[in-house]
Amino acid sequence: MPSDLYVFGPFQLDPDSRRLLREGEPVAISARQFDLLHVLVARAGQVLSKDLLIQAAWGDVAVTDNSLEQAISAIRRLLAYAQSPTFIETLARRGYRFSAPVSRADRREPVETIDALLAPHRAWIEGRAALETLERTHITSARDVFARVLADVPDQAPAHVGLANACVMQFEMTRAERVPDTAALETAARHASEACRLDPRYGEAWATLGFVLDRAGRRADALAASRRAVSLEPDNWRHHVRLGYVSWGEERLREATRALALLPGFPLAHWLAATVHVARQALDDAAQQLAAGIAAEAQDPAHARFSSVALHWLDGLLRLAGGDDAAALDAFDRELAAEQTGHLYARECCANTWYAIAAVRLRRDDPGGAAAALQETLARVPGHVPALAVLQSLGIDDPASDHTPPADPIVRAGEIALGQAIGAARGGNAAKAAAIIEQMLDLAPAGSALWWLPVEPILGIQGSLRPWAGVLARLRNRAA
């Protein structure tokens, strides 16, 4: 006949399967540690001598008291959790006692109960799968799914993490709009923080909080939270990707490499590495990373669990900087084809792609075609400052366009400076354009601000390096 389960705090001890569970999840425990814990729990409240415990765990093997003390210490570490009681007491010269309340549970559950227990977990899996598509409609439905899960299990950290991720992605869907959904971002921050409070050793909670804090402009806190996630769960590739996303320079490169070691071919990791190489002006290295990401994605595009954008856009910019307009336009066409996928960032990427196409048309002395491409940019991101600056240089002021710059203060400063620099460069004053960017970088905190400047298509820096030498050196140093 099956033995009853021993229940204490968030733990269950199953003598039959010799498993220790915490909130339903297995806890790694050695056989000897399990034997010690079993005898302590089975006789909770009683003082057990060292000799009895050694006999229970080691049998006839001769060991010292120190071996028992080490094993007890290891068990205490396994049972440690936020606001945990002292489960095992040491009584000098007498032995040990399991002092926390222990109850017994009948392991036999009716089918209906088992189904009810599984329902939130099934919904959580459904919601996570929806988020990993990065498609706008799926993200919206995922938020509803996680809200239902949270209603069923309000004290489980994974439910809060799921809802936080859905909400921060809803914010990302609107970040290029005149009025971003900051309420969704605030909701994401609240639930990510609650998940960390409920389970401080849950890496996914800290990784999510790090991404949310980065979106809120709290970059130092974002780094701290993301690094904690990696330290807690170093084998989780998602944590390395998110730390790479919120970090910069060598740390971003390192985290992208670690993510690829755990999930070879992941396109976003290649893209993250490429951005650092662009800022360092190691354009051949950037091109190699993009080629690897594009090849990996092309292997099975119809069934890719994590779709990507921006790979072809950046590849096109590199080709444009190298003077290969035809290859650049081919890459841009590939990027535009992704707009119909409904990807979270597709609209933004396509806006930037049309802006790059306008640069090609300007190089071909086609101002009318350039203006038409820029209108495509503004149709997707009405406040696209560089596009507005180029239109103004062409003598076109579109009153229907939204001149409101991005909400993020760092992004806003960079976009405004870039718009002013474009105006100066289009007026023939490259030195003034470079000085504007230098001044912006003086004020920008350490990070990835204007990382794409070496391949910015309108400024054409690669064709006129001398006025930009100081700016390019600054970008290299910032990406070190």
Side-chain angles (χ1 to χ4, degrees):
M1 184 174 178
S3 304
D4 288 344
L5 300 173
Y6 294 99
V7 180
F8 50 96
F11 297 97
Q12 286 185 332
L13 190 77
D14 186 344
D16 291 348
S17 65
R18 294 182 61 80
R19 292 201 308 166
L20 174 65
L21 305 176
R22 176 184 169 191
E23 294 178 345
E25 295 296 324
V27 176
I29 185 170
S30 71
R32 185 159 288 132
Q33 291 166 1
F34 184 90
D35 289 337
L36 276 174
L37 182 58
H38 184 197
V39 71
L40 284 163
V41 168
R43 299 171 69 173
Q46 299 179 31
V47 179
L48 305 184
S49 69
K50 292 182 179 180
D51 289 342
L52 188 152
L53 292 171
I54 289 173
Q55 178 63 33
W58 283 271
D60 295 330
V61 177
V63 296
T64 64
D65 288 356
N66 184 56
S67 298
L68 175 62
E69 290 166 5
Q70 290 182 12
I72 293 291
S73 295
I75 294 171
R76 283 172 171 155
R77 287 194 296 272
L78 290 177
L79 300 183
Y81 73 103
Q83 301 175 343
S84 64
T86 302
F87 286 111
I88 303 174
E89 287 184 298
T90 302
L91 292 94
R93 294 182 297 279
R94 297 177 62 197
Y96 296 92
R97 176 170 59 199
F98 196 87
S99 57
V102 177
S103 60
R104 296 196 180 198
D106 187 341
R107 67 178 60 251
R108 294 169 298 179
E109 296 283 358
V111 173
E112 296 80 4
T113 302
I114 293 173
D115 190 65
L117 290 171
L118 289 176
H121 186 64
R122 283 198 300 264
W124 189 89
I125 293 173
E126 173 193 337
R128 179 155 194 161
L131 288 182
E132 288 179 343
T133 66
L134 298 182
E135 293 180 16
R136 300 170 73 92
T137 55
H138 290 173
I139 290 167
T140 301
S141 64
R143 180 171 180 174
D144 295 335
V145 168
F146 284 120
R148 293 197 301 272
V149 172
L150 196 60
D152 292 333
V153 286
D155 295 327
Q156 286 195 8
H160 287 276
V161 165
L163 187 55
N165 275 305
C167 289
V168 73
M169 288 187 184
Q170 279 205 314
F171 168 79
E172 291 288 273
M173 286 163 51
T174 67
R175 70 178 188 172
E177 296 178 2
R178 181 176 177 272
V179 182
D181 190 353
T182 54
L185 186 60
E186 291 168 0
T187 300
R190 186 169 66 254
H191 286 285
S193 297
E194 179 65 7
C196 293
R197 186 193 69 80
L198 287 168
D199 191 349
R201 299 195 61 78
Y202 183 30
E204 186 73 17
W206 291 102
T208 301
L209 181 62
F211 184 68
V212 172
L213 291 175
D214 180 74
R215 298 294 84 193
R218 296 170 55 186
R219 288 174 171 81
D221 291 337
L223 279 171
S226 301
R227 288 168 182 162
R228 178 169 173 79
V230 166
S231 68
L232 287 170
E233 298 172 2
D235 294 332
N236 189 317
W237 64 267
R238 290 179 177 85
H239 302 347
H240 291 287
V241 168
R242 283 196 159 169
L243 177 52
Y245 194 92
V246 305
S247 62
W248 185 233
E250 194 62 33
E251 185 170 26
R252 175 175 283 193
L253 279 178
R254 182 172 62 250
E255 295 309 314
T257 300
R258 289 174 175 171
L260 288 167
L262 293 166
L263 187 67
F266 184 47
L268 178 56
H270 286 293
W271 188 86
L272 289 171
T275 62
V276 179
H277 291 309
V278 169
R280 292 178 176 179
Q281 295 110 64
L283 302 188
D284 288 344
D285 292 335
Q288 289 177 10
Q289 288 289 342
L290 293 173
I294 290 169
E297 190 171 51
Q299 288 180 2
D300 191 13
H303 300 93
R305 188 164 47 133
F306 307 96
S307 58
S308 292
V309 292
L311 288 164
H312 292 291
W313 163 73
L314 188 52
D315 181 52
L317 292 183
L318 289 172
R319 295 178 185 277
L320 198 56
D324 192 344
D325 291 10
L329 287 173
D330 180 64
F332 295 149
D333 285 342
R334 293 174 185 271
E335 188 67 52
L336 292 176
E339 188 167 18
Q340 303 308 314
T341 65
H343 189 283
L344 171 63
Y345 298 113
R347 182 178 59 173
E348 221 175 309
C349 287
C350 287
N352 291 331
T353 301
W354 277 111
Y355 172 78
I357 291 171
V360 177
R361 292 176 180 176
L362 285 174
R363 284 165 61 150
R364 294 180 173 180
D365 197 24
D366 179 12
L374 293 169
Q375 293 294 348
E376 294 285 355
T377 295
L378 295 172
R380 290 159 177 81
V381 179
H384 197 284
V385 179
L388 292 169
V390 178
L391 279 175
Q392 189 173 26
S393 75
L394 293 172
I396 302 171
D397 186 15
D398 184 359
S401 295
D402 181 358
H403 290 249
T404 304
D408 185 301
I410 296 174
V411 174
R412 178 168 64 240
E415 293 284 89
I416 292 173
L418 183 57
Q420 294 171 345
I422 287 169
R426 294 281 298 157
N429 194 339
K432 181 180 178 182
I436 291 170
I437 298 298
E438 283 256 34
Q439 191 173 38
M440 183 269 165
L441 291 175
D442 284 338
L443 301 174
S448 60
L450 295 180
W451 63 266
W452 68 93
L453 200 69
V455 292
E456 207 288 329
I458 296 293
L459 293 174
I461 292 174
Q462 295 301 315
S464 179
L465 292 172
R466 185 174 180 180
W468 295 95
V471 169
L472 294 176
R474 293 281 294 278
L475 288 174
R476 281 194 298 272
N477 290 335
R478 290 168 66 90

